[in-house]
Amino acid sequence: MALVTALKRLAHVRLREYSRRTAAATSGAWLTGRRSFTTGTQTLRSDNKVTVHFINRDGEKITVKGSPGDSLLDIVINEDLDFDGFGACEGTLACSTCHLIFDEDVYKKLGPVTDEEMDMLDLAYGLTDTSRLGCQICLTKSLEGMVARVPESVADIRQSKDESA
């Protein structure tokens, strides 16, 4: 009897997982421009993208584009930008490795800082008055052309005192 119950639960979990994957795949139909009764049609075009300029630790300017709603951490990952140690916790607000520094005018457009983000920022290396965590900044069209500076170093608890991983 216990085996039958366990198999039913497993089947239910698999069905729920399949339903979730299927829903995710079909809800993204607007990305491909296919007609959908719930999302209409919309073609993904480059003019829907937001340009972001990152200044890396070497002072090099790297220009990339992201979609509105993407976090700056998403962009760094999606564009495979090589910022050593960046985004160690994968956006779970458990570290400060995606610490970025903004100009005052951009900082004012970023929205309020949560208490959780402030707690993590307290651990960030090179903290400034215009520091934020990239995992908490989502792109909007109003941020077009923004500049985000990567600090000189990162406070990453995965590194030992001698800076080795």
Side-chain angles (χ1 to χ4, degrees):
M1 187 68 166
L3 180 60
V4 171
T5 304
L7 287 173
K8 284 183 180 178
R9 284 187 187 149
L10 181 60
H12 181 70
V13 168
R14 295 267 184 186
L15 180 60
R16 186 174 34 191
E17 186 178 300
Y18 173 78
S19 298
R20 201 174 301 140
R21 272 192 258 134
T22 303
T26 57
S27 68
W30 64 272
L31 289 173
T32 61
R34 291 181 299 185
R35 184 169 297 281
S36 167
F37 293 107
T38 57
T39 59
T41 60
Q42 179 178 358
T43 305
L44 185 61
R45 300 180 313 222
S46 62
D47 60 345
N48 288 337
K49 299 284 189 165
V50 178
T51 302
V52 178
H53 306 285
F54 288 98
I55 307 296
N56 71 10
R57 293 184 177 108
D58 297 330
E60 177 187 4
K61 184 178 184 178
I62 301 167
T63 300
V64 293
K65 290 185 180 277
S67 298
D70 286 349
S71 73
L72 293 179
L73 176 59
D74 292 336
I75 293 171
V76 169
I77 292 168
N78 293 342
E79 296 296 322
D80 198 24
L81 302 181
D82 188 21
F83 301 151
D84 191 40
F86 197 90
C89 76
E90 299 177 353
T92 61
L93 265 176
C95 72
S96 60
T97 59
C98 64
H99 170 215
L100 295 167
I101 301 169
F102 300 92
D103 292 333
E104 184 73 34
D105 59 326
V106 172
Y107 181 82
K108 290 176 182 178
K109 296 179 186 179
L110 299 179
V113 182
T114 64
D115 290 338
E116 293 85 3
E117 183 180 358
M118 284 301 272
D119 289 344
M120 287 298 109
L121 279 169
D122 286 341
L123 304 174
Y125 176 85
L127 187 66
T128 71
D129 289 340
T130 59
S131 290
R132 291 290 302 269
L133 297 180
C135 66
Q136 299 301 298
I137 307 301
C138 290
L139 288 183
T140 62
K141 289 301 262 178
S142 68
L143 296 175
E144 173 66 34
M146 72 183 296
V147 175
R149 288 179 182 76
V150 180
E152 291 178 22
S153 186
V154 64
D156 187 351
I157 60 173
R158 299 174 303 163
Q159 294 178 336
S160 64
K161 292 182 183 186
D162 66 353
E163 297 287 325
S164 63

